[in-house]
Amino acid sequence: MMKIAVGSLLIFLFFCFPSFGQTDSLTFSFGKSGGEHPKPYILTGKITSKDSGKPIEGVGVHVDGLFTGVSTDRFGTYYLTIAPGFHRVVFRHISNIPIFTNISLYENAVVSVQMVEKNFELEGVVVLSDEPDRNVRNPITGVTKLTATELRAIPAFLGEADIFKGLQLLPGVSSVGEGTSGINVRGAKADQNLLMMNEVLVLSSNHALGFLSGFNTDVTENFTLYKGNLPANFGGRAGSALNILMRPGSKESWQGSLGVGTSNGKILLEGPVLKDKVSVIFGGRISNVNWLLGQARDLDIKASRLNFYDGYLGLNWDLGKGHQLEANTLVTGDDFQFSDQFGYEWANRISSVKYKGILGENISISGLLADGNFDNAFFDPEGVDAAKVENGMRYQQGKVSATWANDKLALTGGFEGIYYKGKPERISPYNEESAIQREQVGKERGLEYSGFLSLEYELGESIGFVGGVRYSGYTQLGPDTVYQYNPNSPITGSEIIGENPVSGKIKSYSGFEPRFSLRQNLNPTLSIKLSYARLFQYIQSVSNTFGPTPIDLWQLSTTYIPPQRSDNFSLGVFKNKKDNSWEYSIDAFYRTSVNQVEYRDFAQIFLNPHMETELVFGRGEAYGAEFLIKKNIGVVTGWLAYTYSRSFFTSQSIFSEEQINQNKRFPSNYDKPHEVNFILSRKMYPRGLFNFSVNYATGRPVSAVSASYILNGGLLVPDYSGRNQYRIPDYFRVDVSYTVEKVFIKKGDSLNFSIYNLFGRRNAYSVFWQKDGDSQQLRPYQLSILGSIFPSITYSIKWGGQ
């Protein structure tokens, strides 16, 4: 593997990139310098391409000396409040030549410019924040931002660009293995990651047993991942936060696209309901993979089925004078059955309305209302035990915030509340031949609330500070039954001595969550960053499998299940070179958590009215470092990332029934010390794009059979090692893809060829033990979810637009 990593590095460094000049300075003058100018003025305008005339999104607009700036929106517009006087304003974009202007500003003004593209046709995979030098300037460490366009340049499973698969190629992000949902960020559990769509909570969103997410990249604009240090306006999880921003529809013209591939078919339609005022966007996908299952040689796979769908509808209304209203709904669903043995079903819906407005020259406000519904089930379709088990969660969310900002200082404050209502767990017979009796177990309700205040301050060119505090709380609400346990005894089912029905408030928790980040620039292209954040988590996913699955339960905090609390530290060095074309970074992290949840051996998770009897609480610890070399501009782009990450758990109970590994520290299920990701994207003239990726990771820990004994009667009894004392084989995968544009028509179509797992490696998901033939010995066997090459072809065509 070391040879592979070194070889990848040499390939990456081999490619060079062209150098680009800059335009001469432009001079503008507005108003008269004489007289009094007690207030700041507004500078706005629109940035377009000189070649096509189309607006350019993500142009950084910076004011030298004041260390402030904004970025243009999807329509190329920017809005900047600055003090009267003479300013040097710079317009920068990753694929365009920068523009330098000298502006004398003594009244509100409009400056619109046209940018010229650099001398390459298509940049490949680009991982950037809004501004090219944000890697060095952003005070918060561990922030990653990708756009939907950049995701499509990464080879993907079945040819479908996917947010979570793209994230797993970035430093500090991994997963338990193929066939599991969710991600692990800096040694955190999957349920410790806050997932949001336009700041609205999403409990679960995945397709095909976790191979794809429920977010169609055609309707997503970008996403931002905060690894450990969350802004004060985000909370509710003890690990990280991922906010997926859905894009608005075009307000200028109707347009759309249609795609057909080996995994799914999809459609996109967007346009103005009222030109320049109201727009709508719709995107939908439906699976067509069952024909692939039918080609398998294995009879069980041939008899299986996998169906999924998702749809997104968004409405964007420009109310005028800086006021905007958004409404959107996302629906996803899956249906999977493996032969006649087992199956899963799940569905998710998130709906929200959001208002954003600018009040005066320094104040902006926003508010949202949202409603979410998550249902899932698993079933056994055959025999007298054929049954279906259902559960889910319904929730409502409200949030309001306001920001006051000037050239150097920004203050943001607000409130947020989420009401959870767990749906009863039900078991019912799957068919008429089943002997299963209907049964139902009630689930908890709770209210999570918070208030937050953050401050962002620039102490000149070299020092930036972001500080904040979040006060969060949670109350479990009745009616519910609180079980009473024998005092001075472990919490087990055999120690229950009574039941206490309770209505109203049952149990409350709360706490302060201080956070700060500090950036010190040693020079304009080199900075050191330090950050700390405390986070509380009042809801967690419960599962007794290796990794999170679509049918995991969401468990609220109760009298016996306290909230998790984590403390996150980070220290990093960040360097940019050659006009931000190259980025280098080293970012070390350390986190501890209390009340982290693990599960007792052979835990009974479903239809359990007293879940606390199956859980173990203890201390979690994670530490490591992320190393990144990244090339942003040129015919060849990409990155090489290495992550060293350790994650451990230690139970702390005095009772043996509540201990794991005798209270000795052991690696978490997702502890993978070494991970290397290499991504290469090369423009192939005149209309092609080649993408190549390599992923290597240490195998995750497992508990192994260390010995076995034969009792009287020939019964074979295995003796297991301590928890997670062994590891499965290391993971290695290579993916490639090639995209050709303008295949059959001059505008608007493309053809993508992808190969997932190019070498057909049978990467292990788990290891299990069973008898070897007629012998009396247990032998290990490797379970692989994907053990072959997965090629795919996708054809897309677009129409409309300007």
Side-chain angles (χ1 to χ4, degrees):
M1 291 306 159
M2 182 60 68
K3 292 181 178 179
I4 294 173
V6 172
S8 298
L9 177 60
L10 291 176
I11 294 173
F12 184 73
L13 296 177
F14 171 79
F15 294 95
C16 62
F17 52 89
S19 59
F20 307 107
Q22 67 184 47
T23 63
D24 296 332
S25 296
L26 303 177
T27 301
F28 300 89
S29 181
F30 301 96
K32 297 180 179 180
S33 59
E36 295 184 359
H37 298 274
K39 64 178 183 179
Y41 292 108
I42 298 173
L43 179 65
T44 186
K46 185 172 185 178
I47 312 301
T48 56
S49 170
K50 187 174 182 179
D51 297 326
S52 65
K54 293 183 178 181
I56 304 176
E57 178 188 4
V59 177
V61 186
H62 305 279
V63 182
D64 286 1
L66 298 181
F67 213 74
T68 187
V70 296
S71 296
T72 58
D73 60 20
R74 184 168 178 262
F75 305 103
T77 59
Y78 67 94
Y79 182 96
L80 191 64
T81 302
I82 55 180
F86 177 82
H87 302 283
R88 188 171 184 265
V89 181
V90 183
F91 300 86
R92 294 181 182 273
H93 188 262
I94 189 65
S95 59
N96 292 270
I97 298 174
I99 295 177
F100 299 83
T101 64
N102 299 312
I103 300 177
S104 295
L105 188 71
Y106 297 99
E107 64 183 18
N108 295 335
V110 177
V111 174
S112 298
V113 297
Q114 291 184 322
M115 304 192 77
V116 178
E117 290 188 9
K118 298 172 181 176
N119 59 354
F120 57 88
E121 293 187 14
L122 176 65
E123 70 273 27
V125 182
V126 182
V127 186
L128 285 175
S129 303
D130 289 334
E131 298 86 8
D133 59 347
R134 194 67 171 171
N135 177 60
V136 175
R137 293 181 59 247
N138 189 355
I140 302 178
T141 64
V143 180
T144 298
K145 188 170 184 177
L146 283 175
T147 68
T149 301
E150 294 155 3
L151 277 179
R152 296 188 189 101
I154 301 175
F157 177 66
L158 293 176
E160 183 68 15
D162 185 72
I163 290 175
F164 291 113
K165 292 302 180 185
L167 277 171
Q168 291 170 28
L169 296 174
L170 299 174
V173 185
S174 63
S175 71
V176 172
E178 292 173 328
T180 60
S181 60
I183 55 176
N184 302 102
V185 181
R186 290 188 170 181
K189 297 181 64 176
D191 72 333
Q192 292 177 328
N193 304 314
L194 175 65
L195 175 60
M196 299 172 288
M197 180 187 75
N198 294 342
E199 297 191 25
V200 176
L201 174 67
V202 180
L203 287 181
S204 179
S205 182
N206 64 86
H207 288 317
L209 298 175
F211 284 107
L212 295 174
S213 74
F215 293 95
N216 182 354
T217 55
D218 289 344
V219 292
T220 58
E221 187 159 355
N222 59 57
F223 65 86
T224 304
L225 175 67
Y226 299 89
K227 296 182 289 187
N229 194 303
L230 280 60
N233 57 315
F234 293 153
R237 296 294 185 273
S240 66
L242 173 64
N243 185 35
I244 301 171
L245 182 64
M246 312 301 282
R247 70 179 183 87
S250 172
K251 289 187 174 72
E252 299 176 353
S253 62
W254 283 95
Q255 51 194 281
S257 65
L258 185 67
V260 179
T262 51
S263 66
N264 64 77
K266 55 184 180 179
I267 187 172
L268 172 70
L269 183 65
E270 61 177 307
V273 177
L274 184 60
K275 191 173 178 61
D276 297 327
K277 285 291 184 180
V278 183
S279 68
V280 66
I281 183 171
F282 169 77
R285 295 187 298 181
I286 187 169
S287 65
N288 59 337
V289 299
N290 288 326
W291 71 274
L292 284 174
L293 300 179
Q295 308 302 313
R297 295 181 180 180
D298 188 288
L299 295 180
D300 285 332
I301 297 179
K302 287 176 71 73
S304 301
R305 72 169 189 266
L306 173 60
N307 302 302
F308 64 81
Y309 68 87
D310 60 62
Y312 174 80
L313 179 65
L315 183 71
N316 186 278
W317 187 4
D318 187 355
L319 303 175
K321 295 183 179 180
H323 300 273
Q324 192 176 76
L325 187 67
E326 302 173 359
N328 55 65
T329 295
L330 173 71
V331 293
T332 67
D334 278 67
D335 176 18
F336 169 75
Q337 181 172 332
F338 182 76
S339 188
D340 59 355
Q341 300 180 31
F342 63 90
Y344 303 118
E345 297 174 353
W346 62 93
N348 202 19
R349 176 193 55 78
I350 307 102
S351 302
S352 68
V353 177
K354 185 175 184 178
Y355 164 79
K356 296 185 294 184
I358 299 175
L359 305 180
E361 298 175 349
N362 301 93
I363 300 177
S364 63
I365 61 172
S366 68
L368 70 84
L369 295 173
D371 179 80
N373 186 74
F374 177 56
D375 294 295
N376 57 33
F378 69 94
F379 55 87
D380 182 350
E382 293 292 329
V384 294
D385 293 329
K388 184 176 184 179
V389 178
E390 303 171 89
N391 61 78
M393 178 75 73
R394 183 76 181 269
Y395 58 95
Q396 288 80 40
Q397 177 183 3
K399 185 175 183 179
V400 60
S401 64
T403 299
W404 179 91
N406 62 17
D407 296 334
K408 293 188 177 182
L409 176 67
L411 291 171
T412 300
F415 302 92
E416 182 177 15
I418 305 176
Y419 171 69
Y420 301 98
K421 184 177 182 181
K423 296 185 177 183
E425 287 184 71
R426 297 186 178 93
I427 185 171
S428 58
Y430 190 77
N431 51 41
E432 295 180 356
E433 289 75 25
S434 174
I436 293 294
Q437 300 296 313
R438 295 181 183 273
E439 185 181 349
Q440 176 175 306
V441 173
K443 300 301 294 183
E444 297 82 10
R445 298 189 301 157
L447 176 64
E448 181 181 344
Y449 52 89
S450 62
F452 52 87
L453 178 66
S454 65
L455 176 149
E456 183 172 354
Y457 185 64
E458 296 290 345
L459 292 82
E461 288 282 349
S462 61
I463 301 178
F465 175 79
V466 176
V469 64
R470 183 183 182 95
Y471 179 81
S472 65
Y474 167 84
T475 299
Q476 183 191 358
L477 302 173
D480 197 9
T481 298
V482 178
Y483 290 88
Q484 298 173 327
Y485 297 89
N486 194 11
N488 301 318
S489 298
I491 297 178
T492 63
S494 61
E495 297 293 338
I496 296 176
I497 60 175
E499 301 178 8
N500 183 23
V502 181
S503 59
K505 296 181 180 179
I506 299 177
K507 181 67 175 179
S508 295
Y509 300 96
S510 63
F512 282 97
E513 304 178 38
R515 305 169 189 184
F516 79 86
S517 296
L518 179 66
R519 184 210 75 245
Q520 172 67 61
N521 276 75
L522 302 182
N523 59 53
T525 64
L526 177 65
S527 66
I528 299 176
K529 304 178 187 179
L530 172 69
S531 66
Y532 164 77
R534 169 165 287 188
L535 309 171
F536 279 89
Q537 179 170 335
Y538 302 98
I539 180 174
Q540 45 265 318
S541 177
V542 178
S543 171
N544 58 359
T545 60
F546 292 117
T549 64
I551 48 83
D552 292 341
L553 294 171
W554 283 99
Q555 173 66 51
L556 297 170
S557 292
T558 66
T559 301
Y560 301 106
I561 304 178
Q564 301 180 50
R565 189 194 74 217
S566 70
D567 292 281
N568 302 264
F569 304 85
S570 182
L571 176 64
V573 180
F574 301 82
K575 172 68 176 178
N576 285 10
K577 291 184 66 177
K578 297 189 178 181
D579 197 23
N580 304 304
S581 298
W582 288 83
E583 294 183 11
Y584 307 87
S585 64
I586 301 175
D587 201 1
F589 61 89
Y590 177 78
R591 66 186 302 271
T592 62
S593 59
V594 297
N595 300 325
Q596 187 166 309
V597 178
E598 282 290 343
Y599 311 99
R600 303 181 187 185
D601 293 331
F602 312 108
Q604 176 59 43
I605 298 300
F606 298 101
L607 297 168
N608 189 340
H610 37 76
M611 184 68 72
E612 60 269 13
T613 60
E614 307 297 332
L615 304 180
V616 174
F617 303 94
R619 180 177 183 269
E621 181 181 19
Y623 58 85
E626 303 166 3
F627 303 85
L628 179 66
I629 303 174
K630 183 170 50 174
K631 186 173 185 289
N632 297 316
I633 301 175
V635 175
V636 177
T637 56
W639 67 86
L640 179 65
Y642 167 71
T643 302
Y644 174 76
S645 178
R646 301 306 311 269
S647 179
F648 299 94
F649 178 83
T650 307
S651 61
Q652 297 177 312
S653 176
I654 61 174
F655 302 107
S656 61
E657 294 88 344
E658 298 175 338
Q659 296 177 359
I660 300 178
N661 210 42
Q662 300 177 335
N663 279 350
K664 297 177 182 178
R665 190 176 77 161
F666 63 89
S668 306
N669 289 339
Y670 40 89
D671 176 66
K672 300 165 74 174
H674 306 284
E675 185 155 5
V676 180
N677 294 300
F678 172 66
I679 308 298
L680 180 91
S681 180
R682 191 185 197 286
K683 179 70 175 72
M684 309 295 290
Y685 289 97
R687 302 186 307 273
L689 183 66
F690 172 76
N691 302 294
F692 173 81
S693 69
V694 178
N695 176 234
Y696 163 79
T698 306
R700 65 171 183 80
V702 293
S703 302
V705 175
S706 56
S708 58
Y709 306 92
I710 301 177
L711 302 181
N712 293 334
L715 179 63
L716 186 64
V717 178
D719 183 15
Y720 280 88
S721 67
R723 179 75 69 94
N724 290 347
Q725 298 303 302
Y726 293 86
R727 291 188 181 273
I728 64 175
D730 292 352
Y731 183 94
F732 177 71
R733 192 187 80 241
V734 176
D735 306 326
V736 296
S737 72
Y738 188 79
T739 302
V740 182
E741 297 180 346
K742 303 178 183 178
V743 183
F744 302 111
I745 58 178
K746 292 183 178 181
K747 179 183 178 181
D749 74 333
S750 64
L751 189 62
N752 173 268
F753 302 88
S754 297
I755 300 179
Y756 186 88
N757 196 16
L758 178 64
F759 298 139
R761 180 180 169 88
R762 295 182 60 83
N763 287 300
Y765 172 73
S766 184
V767 175
F768 61 95
W769 279 258
Q770 65 181 25
K771 285 185 179 181
D772 184 12
D774 296 330
S775 72
Q776 294 297 313
Q777 297 295 323
L778 291 174
R779 299 189 183 278
Y781 290 85
Q782 175 177 303
L783 172 63
S784 298
I785 302 299
L786 292 179
S788 61
I789 297 173
F790 274 77
S792 64
I793 301 175
T794 302
Y795 176 72
S796 301
I797 184 171
K798 299 180 181 180
W799 65 84
Q802 294 181 347

